[in-house]
Every structure is written in structure tokens, then in C-alpha cells.
Amino acid sequence: MNAVAKLGLKQRYSLLTRGLDWEPSYQSKSAIYPYAEFEGIKIHDWSKWEDPFRLTMDAYWKFQAEKERKLYAVLDSFAQNNGQMGLTDARYVNAVKLFLTGVSPLEYQAHRGFAHVGRHIPGVGPRVAAQMQSLDELRHVQTQIHTLSHYNKFFDGLHEFPHMHDRVWYLSVPKSFFDDARTAGPFEYFIAIGFAFEYVLTNLLFVPFMSGAAYNGDLATVTFGFSAQSDESRHMTLGIEVIKFLLEQDPDNLPIVQKWVDKWFWRGHRVLGLVAMMMDYMLPKKIMSWREAWEIYFTEAGGSLFQDLSRYGLRVPKYADVATAEADHISHQNWAVFYQYTHAAGFHTWLPSAEEMDWLSEKYPTTFDKYYRPRFEMWGEMAKEGKRFYNNALPQLCTTCQIPMAYTEPGDPTTISFRHSHYKGDTYHFCSDGCKDIFDNEPEKYSQSWLPVHQIFQGNCGGASVEEVLKWYRLNLGADNLDQAGSPDQAQWDAWMEARRRVAG
Amino acid sequence: MPRIASLTLQDTDTARPIIEAITEDNPGATVHSFPGIVKIDREGSLTVRRESVESRIGRVWDPQELHLSIVSMAGNVDEDDDYFSVAWTN
Amino acid sequence: MTIEIKTLKVEPRRQTFGHIARRYGADKPASRYDEATLDVQATANFHYKPLWGADHWLYDERRTRVTMADWYKLRDPRQYYYATYNIARAGQYQTTERNIEFVDKRGLLAHLDPAWRETVETYLLPLRHMEWGANLNCTNICDLGYGTAVTAASIFAAGDHLALAQIIGRIGLLLDGNTGASLDRAKDRWMTAPEWQGLRRLTEDTLVVKDWFELLLAQNLAIDGILYPLVYGRFDAAGQALGGSAVSMLTEFMNEWFTEHSRWVDAVIKTAAAESPENRALLTGWFATWASRAAGAFAPLADHVLGAEEGTRALAEVVGGLQARAKTLGLAV
């Protein structure tokens, strides 16, 4: 018994996993995998699938258990030591609020979505990988809730995150993004989340933003962030393997995949505008600008990737040039929207300080001073005169990305970009060519969009006044919304800092 | 455009010998430090060798343990008993 | 905060999230299981109907005929969330790993009676395919189910079944000296051997069940409820006199797992049955169908392993045990 050959990792994994599937004969394959064909993707030989990672379930448990032990030790210690008091500034917490209400529910959606493809993709290799990703994504939502649960005890705006995610106007941006992916077929879902989101875009959220969390003293968030990223590297690799596999299997898959890559790149770019704003405006101590992060993680890493994929005929996503140009504008335009609508948001806003504006000028030499500084300075003057600027009109939303129509024309930062399409007698409005294209390709899907402003006007959101709508969101008025200055969060923070000075003194 | 293969690891005691092994085994690799993380870049490819890590930590090391420290990467992955690598192939 | 304070006192402004406090009826500290589970799934204002099934919303209570006023009543008594689940399983598997090493190092499988060794190959190894079917079913329940309480536990069960399939695979590799030949033979048996065809048909038939709660009951109560006591109880016991104790060591994980898994299954079925007479009738009907189908499907294998007389008796006892279990869950058996 001792003279047996030692098995290498690849061979062992293959024996324990790849052989599990069988050709059914009592039920048809199409009954067992009913969603494998309607998208038009052609797969001839699933055995050609290359497993990027080869974790058997026991190895998965072992590594994931170790990660969790480490993570929860940090969370316990953060809570016991009131780690929130080590933050650079109370303003930072607003980024965390946006994270729990806007991002964590997406992790949940990813979990259920990967269960769907982990059941329905008819190839054993990608199916097992998708199931592990489903488990990982459940991990991410649960560890995020556990981490941010401590913040919820001390700060406003986090206490109704699932309720808010299903209703609040700006949260319909990330929610509709994931609803879109999850209602797509299994292959499109894989490309949307596994490739466009995980590979091309998630790095931007989880690497520079989390490094920023570390820089701002949030030891809990950075720990779950980097711990989650250790799973993401598996997910990114899975995404890239899926795309290569589809392109290798049949040349007819190329136009379908290209359309998905174009669509999901643009969808992801729009959602990530929220992260752009978190990095440039919401981190009290800055680590790198959105522009710089975009260069490292999209231009450089994405560039190498698309060069690699060009051998299959796949090109860089449509409008990547527009998105790269927008990196000079998007964080400023988004922050301006939230500043104007801060009375209707579940987190606080503020105007950047003189120092912060100088940092923005330095990081955005061609745009900040010319287009955005004057606006913020004017709003600052108005606030000083007791006329803090609020926009009380409900904004028009883009039907596709659901962001208020505040983005500007490519190459013309002083003109708002409007596009529209007609479908079945109605007119639909868009913020960009990217969003209009997406609608025009699937009008029957996007004409169903649950647009928060339309829903308010139709009387489906608790009432006609802003106050009634905010109550329907379960926001505590005067606590969860409005300016950081004068908020209960800020008052409490000031009291802590004052008390700490006394104790120290 | 240069094709940068990249590995980003947590800046921890566990990851440090791995980072050392990578920089020594991959001539031309550049190391960038950010709060909490270390990003290692190199044109074309980067390889983590099991032996090289083991010689630093004095115990058996399974390349899959990299899963505990990795934060991000760029390049196509190849994972086996004796190494873990990311590379751009064409 | 008063001016005199010498130490800094930091008081929480709330103890837990609003949705948890409403369920508790008070704002008090919540368990990690509750915060990670309750109301985590979206319930309203979905944007688009699925292209793969426009007759339902993404999360839709109508994907099963079972009805619950509150789907979060279907709690997991083990209170597993991701961390506790993985840490528990990693610990259990450490024992399995040590047992595998022990059996391997000492060549314990060489002590198997040659005829029984052949029998073990016949009954145990093809089960990896059945576990794979169970994995797909549990993944499907997570996909289609309603409420994180039941769907999270289902993806954990899916992970378990993959691990179970892989443990059986490792036993095969121990038996065949790492060539994989025993696994190939096992697959042939699964595809063509008469004693396996009823079980393969049963498995394939579950893969097309549309109602996820029916599937939950069929897989987790009816099929698992016969498979585990029969294979790892009766078959294993029969091997004891034939040098089979090494096999018992290698499959100890299965027994431990089944005991724990059953606690979850029982809680879910019992709560759903207690919800309404309609649920109870529905679950009773499904149980009757699937328990009888599973019993029929296992009969040829039981006969093959234990001999016709003993096989029939053992299976009848196992099925009797399952029926008694179903009765305690409130089903009208």
C-alpha cells in the first residue's frame, strides 16, 4: 500500500471533482439544465474547461476557517476597544454607511446569483467554482454586517440597511445593477459579475478604498475588506477563465460576449461613480485619487487583460475612452448631486475644506479649478449667508443606470448630457450613449425599471412630500440626513474628542 | 504598453516572507507599499516558489496558503504543488 | 456627558438594526446569527422579471406551494452563519484527515476481506455521484428558496455534499492506489449496474423538481433519511466482521454529519408543517411519495450488499425509523 504514486494537485483535483458529472438518461439534459441554451452561447466540450484554482471542499473549509478566525478576532477587539474612536474623523463613517446600504446587499445578490449558475451551468468545473463563489459572497455580506453592526450602535444611517436598499432613490442604482445581472441568463451573469464586475471593477472598490479605510483608522473595515479580497482573487480568475472558455468554444460566441462586455463595463462604471465619490470626498485622509486608481486598475491592469484577450477577437469595451475621460469629472459631479439632495439621503455631506480643495486641484489639474471649485465655493458662500443650497425638485433619472441626470457631455463639462429613445409609445431618458445603447438592445427589460422618482410621483412611496417619502424609507429625519455639521453624529464625536482631551489632560 | 503581471498581498507577518521570496525570485519586480498592502509588479510574469518560501519560514508551505494573504492580482493564474504564478502569455 | 468624568464613557445609541429590534420587540443586543440572517434577502421593488422565468420575481414566495407568514421562522437550530459553519466543518474534517492518514500509513484497508472489499467498492464509491446530485439539489434550493434562513443553510448543505462526494473519492483512491481506476469502475456501475439504476433514476428525477420546498423534503428528509442509516449504519455494520473497521473510520464524518444535518432538516420541516393544515397536508403528501420512491430505489442495493432477506429487513427497519421521525415532525404518516 505504501508504494503508491503521489498525486499532483491538478490530477488529484481532477479525480475528485471532474469525474462527478454523468450523462443523464432518465431525464433529458435540457430538462436538468433548462437555461443553458436560450442566450445563444454554444459550448461543444465542457471537458476543455481549465480550472483556475483547485480547491477541494476540505481545503476550502480549512483556509476559509482560518481567515474567519483572524477576522472575527479583529472585530471582537475593535468592538471591545471602541475602535470607532480611533478614526481620523467622524465624516469617514458616511462612507461606511454608503457601503452597508449600497454594497453589502450586492454581495448577497452575488451569493444567490452564483447559486443559480452553480446549479445551472452544465459543466462540472465552473459549477463547483460558482458554488464556492456563492459561499464566499455569503461570507462577504455576513462579515460586512458583523463589522458594520458595531458602527450601527454608535452612528446614524445604518439601522435600516435592507429596507433602504429596496427603496431609497440612489440605492436603486446598485440594486438595479444587480437585479439586471441576476435576471439575465447564466452565461451573461457570469460575464457581468465574474468578469466585468469582479475582474475589471471590484479592484477599484476593495483595494484603494480599503487601503484608504486603513489610512483613516478603520481597522475593522480594512480587515473585512482585504479578507474579502483574498476570495476575490479566486473570483477574478474564474471570470477570466469563463470568458476565455466561451471564446475558445465557438466563434459565434464572440459577438454575444462582446455585447455583454460592453454593457457590463458601462453598467459597472456608472455604479462605481459612487466609489469615486467615496475616495475623493468621503475619506478624510486621502490615499490616492479616483483618477489615479482608475489608471492603475483599469488603464494598466484592464489594458493588459484586454490585450491578452485580443487574440480571441475581443476588443476593449465600447466607451472605455469615455469612461476614462469621465474619471476627471465623475467624483465631483456625484458629490455635487448628493450635496444638493443631502436632505433626502441616508448619510451626511459637507463641502470640501480649503485644504481638501487644494488636494483636488492638484489631483485634477485640468478640471477641478475650472469647473468644480467655483461651484463649491459659491455654495460655501451661500451657506455662510444662511442660504445653504438644497435642490427641492425631484431629479429626472436615467432609465438604465437610474442616476440623476447630472453628467455632462463628453468633451463639454458645462452641458448636461441627455439622450432618449422611444419604445411602445413612451419616451425613455438616458444620461449617456452607453446607457442609451443598453436600453436600445433590450428595451423590453429596461422599460420595466422601478424608477424611484416615477414611483414617488405615482404615489407608491409613502406620500407626495419629501418628508413622507423619507419616513417611508425609515430615515430618522434630522439625524440620518442633512449636513455633517450639526448632525447628532458630529455632536457625539465632538463630545468624545472633548472628553478624551479632558481625560488625557 | 508594458504588460504588468501583479500580486497584491496584505502587509502582515505571514505575507512578509512570501513578499521577500517573490522579490528575490523575480528579477526586475518592483514593490509598492500602500496602507495595509504591498503591490508587486513585474513585466510579463511573477512566480511564487514553494521552496523559496519554505527556506524562509522553516516549515512546509503549501502554495495554496497564498489564499490567506492575497488581496489582488493581474495575469493568468497557474497553481501547482510547487509554485503559484501569474503571467500574460501572448 | 458631565465635566467631572475622569474616564471616557462611550454609550451605544442603539443595540442592533431596526429590522432585528422589531422582530425582538425591543432594541437589545442581537446574536451574530440573527444579524447575518434575518431580513437580509431583498423583498420588494424588483426591477426586472428574470429572462429565465418571467412568471416570478427574482425572490418570490410563490416558487413553492408551501406558505409561511414569516419565512424567517425557518431558523437553523445550529445557528450557522458563514464563519461558524466553516470553522465547524474545518474542525470535523481535521479528524477525517487524520483518519485517512492513519488508515493509509498502516495499510489498514489491506485487512479487508477481499469479497467485502469488492462489496465496499460496489456500494460506496458510486454514491459520490448521488452526493453530487444532492449538491445540485441543495444549490437549487438556495437559488430558488425564500428567505436567508433556509437558503443560507442550503448552500452550506450543498458544500457538505460536495465534501461528502470528495471523501468517497478519496476512499476510492486509497483502494486503488491513486490510479482512479476504482472511480471509473464506480461510474460504470452508476451508469449501468442494475442495483444502481433505481437510484440514478431517483436522483435524475429530483433534478427536475420545480417546487423547491418539495425538493428540500425529497432530498434532505426522504433520500438522506434512508441513505445514511442504511449505508453508513447497516452496510457498515455488516462489514465489521469482515475487516471493515477501517472503512468505518473513513466514513465517520458521514455519521456525524448526518446527525447534525438532521437537526436542521427536522427544524425546517417541523416548523413548516406546524404553520398550517395546508402545509402539513402538502408535506405529508410529498413525504409519502418521495419516501416510498427512495425506499424502492434502495431495495436492489440493500439486497445486493446484505443478501435478499437481510437486505429487505434492514431497509424496512430504516424506512420504519424514517417514518417514525416524520411523525415526530408533525407529518400525518
Side-chain angles (χ1 to χ4, degrees), chain A residues 85-87 493 495-505, chain C residues 8:
Chain A
M85 295 184 63
L87 295 175
W493 179 263
W496 285 345
M497 293 304 115
E498 177 59 23
R500 185 142 76 178
R501 269 191 297 276
R502 279 179 219 283
V503 171
Chain C
L8 182 52

Side-chain angles (χ1 to χ4, degrees), chain A residues 73-85:
Chain A
V74 172
L75 298 190
D76 284 340
S77 131
F78 188 81
Q80 282 159 6
N81 296 306
N82 281 309
Q84 77 280 6
M85 295 184 63

Side-chain angles (χ1 to χ4, degrees), chain B residues 5-25:
Chain B
S6 175
L7 285 171
T8 304
L9 301 179
Q10 293 191 45
D11 187 4
T12 58
D13 204 50
T14 314
R16 227 156 280 137
I18 307 172
I19 295 166
E20 254 180 55
I22 298 172
T23 45
E24 201 165 296
D25 293 345

Side-chain angles (χ1 to χ4, degrees), chain A residues 5 21-22 26-27 60 109 112 116 131 142 146 149 152-153 155-156 159-160 166 175 183 448, chain C residues 13-14 18 22 32 35 44-45 49 51 59 82 128 132 135 142-143 145 178 187 197 204-205:
Chain A
D21 244 358
W22 69 92
Y26 298 106
Q27 291 287 343
Y60 179 88
Q109 288 260 59
R112 298 287 290 267
H116 181 70
Q131 290 174 9
Q142 293 188 323
H146 288 152
S149 166
N152 173 56
K153 291 178 176 149
F155 296 94
D156 294 320
H159 54 101
E160 293 289 349
D166 280 352
K175 176 166 165 145
T183 50
Q448 302 170 50
Chain C
R13 287 154 70 186
R14 60 183 76 73
R22 281 190 292 280
R32 280 193 167 142
E35 287 198 343
N45 306 326
K49 285 279 172 70
L51 298 180
Y59 306 113
Y82 183 90
R128 63 199 289 262
W132 178 233
N135 160 281
C142 176
D143 175 22
N178 277 345
K187 186 150 182 182
Q197 294 319 295
E204 290 183 17
D205 287 352

